[in-house]
Amino acid sequence: MQELNPLLHSQLRLAVMSILMNVEEADFVYLKEKTESTAGNLSVQLDKLASAGYINIEKDMSGKRPRTICSVSDIGRNAFIEYVEALKSYINI
Amino acid sequence: MEEKKITPEEGMQVITQMIEASKQRMSMPNLRISIIWATLAIVTGFIVIALNKVENLPWVSLAWFAIPGVGLPMHINLANKFDNGKVVKTTIDNINEGIWKALGYIAIGVTVICCLMPLDGYSKTWMLMVFYDLVVVGFATAIQGIVIKQKYYIAGGGFSVIWGFAIVALIICDIPVSIDYIMVFYIQAFLVMFIVPAAIIRNKLNSRQKCKN
């Protein structure tokens, strides 16, 4: 049985990756709303995913407000696919 | 949502939930923006018909500049307002954005040609705008309908393309067509292409929302 990637096997990081796998890019406000997380927690988890190279984070300005836009990287995409495969083997799908 | 360890079953549940959540965005802002453009096109069409009745002068055509003149600032303003700054883009959004951007550039080119060529005596150049408004915009709407899987946009776009080809065929064959008739076709096409599909989709979304509540 494959081992589950510990970086992805956490509720919030997995939620973020699941959303980003489904869209081209999403900003911090959108991710926060969909995952129903706090800004601080989400920020920490995004940094962890970015440090692992799973997501790309770009910061720009939307009018006067700063905006953080996230997108999944190729490494992240492959890791997520592998994670789902491993998950399937655990729950016998 | 806390940062906590989960079981494989919970992991699968999180993935399913988040995929569902990010799918729930048949974007109302885009519908509203397209409604604004279509309404502007229709209102301007009526204004041009009215001005033509009152005073049949070439400057009446300048009224068409009301569409970009009013539409662009409204578009930018609304695009910034919607979603409280939330941004999410899918491949479909990018395709749609590409289609409408390309159409915007074509519109600028066609407008310049339609403004300049009559000065050299080519009075039928306006036909190009009919072709653009009905055939090109209709085609783009149908493509958008295919991309977002909305049959109402496909039907509306198809209707407009057929009207457009019919009018261009009449003009090519030198069959006299009153400008008023062309304007009526133009208004109908924009109603069927944008307003009707948006109203149907909006109703569907509202009833779906009510069911959820």
Side-chain angles (χ1 to χ4, degrees):
Chain A
M1 212 172 265
Q2 274 179 277
E3 200 183 325
L4 290 171
N5 182 338
L7 197 65
L8 292 179
H9 199 59
S10 123
Q11 196 171 9
L12 184 49
R13 288 195 294 268
L14 183 59
V16 169
M17 285 297 288
S18 304
I19 292 171
L20 292 179
M21 285 293 286
N22 207 31
V23 301
E24 288 265 308
E25 57 183 37
D27 78 346
F28 189 85
V29 183
Y30 180 85
L31 291 174
K32 183 172 162 283
E33 187 193 279
K34 292 293 174 192
T35 58
E36 295 173 358
S37 57
T38 61
N41 193 10
L42 179 61
S43 184
V44 171
Q45 305 314 325
L46 287 180
D47 281 344
K48 283 185 185 172
L49 289 170
S51 305
Y54 285 6
I55 63 169
N56 303 313
I57 298 179
E58 278 176 43
K59 291 180 194 268
D60 67 5
M61 296 295 284
S62 166
K64 284 177 186 171
R65 280 184 296 191
R67 192 171 57 177
T68 305
I69 297 176
C70 307
S71 60
V72 71
S73 67
D74 288 342
I75 302 170
R77 197 172 293 279
N78 292 336
F80 186 84
I81 292 167
E82 277 173 22
Y83 175 80
V84 172
E85 286 306 315
L87 211 52
K88 280 181 186 172
S89 68
Y90 272 86
I91 50 180
N92 300 320
I93 293 182
Chain B
M1 198 175 274
E2 296 301 315
E3 201 255 320
K4 61 178 185 189
K5 296 292 170 207
I6 46 176
T7 64
E9 286 79 10
E10 283 170 336
M12 204 46 109
Q13 209 177 344
V14 168
I15 295 171
T16 317
Q17 272 175 3
M18 288 304 118
I19 289 174
E20 265 316 301
S22 51
K23 268 186 186 166
Q24 289 167 5
R25 51 176 301 276
M26 176 57 230
S27 58
M28 288 306 287
N30 289 342
L31 285 183
R32 287 183 208 165
I33 287 173
S34 71
I35 288 172
I36 283 167
W37 281 107
T39 308
L40 261 174
I42 292 167
V43 169
T44 313
F46 277 119
I47 291 171
V48 169
I49 293 177
L51 287 175
N52 269 326
K53 293 268 180 235
V54 180
E55 210 168 345
N56 199 5
L57 290 170
W59 64 262
V60 167
S61 301
L62 293 176
W64 291 110
F65 283 104
I67 298 177
V70 179
L72 276 177
M74 279 178 91
H75 181 127
I76 293 164
N77 188 27
L78 283 169
N80 287 338
K81 246 188 207 174
F82 289 137
D83 276 354
N84 302 319
K86 269 180 290 178
V87 174
V88 57
K89 266 189 184 176
T90 61
T91 312
I92 289 173
D93 292 324
N94 285 339
I95 294 171
N96 274 336
E97 204 178 292
I99 291 174
W100 295 108
K101 250 187 198 166
L103 235 67
Y105 290 127
I106 297 170
I108 294 167
V110 171
T111 309
V112 171
I113 294 169
C114 285
C115 286
L116 295 181
M117 287 193 70
L119 300 176
D120 254 358
Y122 299 104
S123 59
K124 276 192 175 176
T125 329
W126 60 268
M127 200 176 87
L128 202 60
M129 198 49 103
V130 174
F131 187 81
Y132 170 79
D133 281 336
L134 300 181
V135 179
V136 180
V137 175
F139 191 68
T141 308
I143 297 280
Q144 177 187 262
I146 293 167
V147 171
I148 64 171
K149 294 178 187 160
Q150 288 292 335
K151 58 185 175 194
Y152 309 105
Y153 280 112
I154 303 172
F159 172 86
S160 177
V161 170
I162 292 166
W163 270 141
F165 277 131
I167 292 171
V168 173
L170 290 174
I171 296 166
I172 289 170
C173 297
D174 280 331
I175 298 168
V177 199
S178 142
I179 186 78
D180 286 350
Y181 276 124
I182 292 176
M183 291 307 298
V184 170
F185 288 142
Y186 162 87
I187 289 167
Q188 273 180 356
F190 271 82
L191 270 173
V192 175
M193 263 193 295
F194 297 106
I195 308 287
V196 174
I200 295 171
I201 293 167
R202 197 174 185 160
N203 276 344
K204 276 188 174 178
L205 287 173
N206 285 346
S207 50
R208 208 179 291 168
Q209 195 65 40
K210 273 180 196 164
C211 284
K212 268 186 191 170
N213 294 339

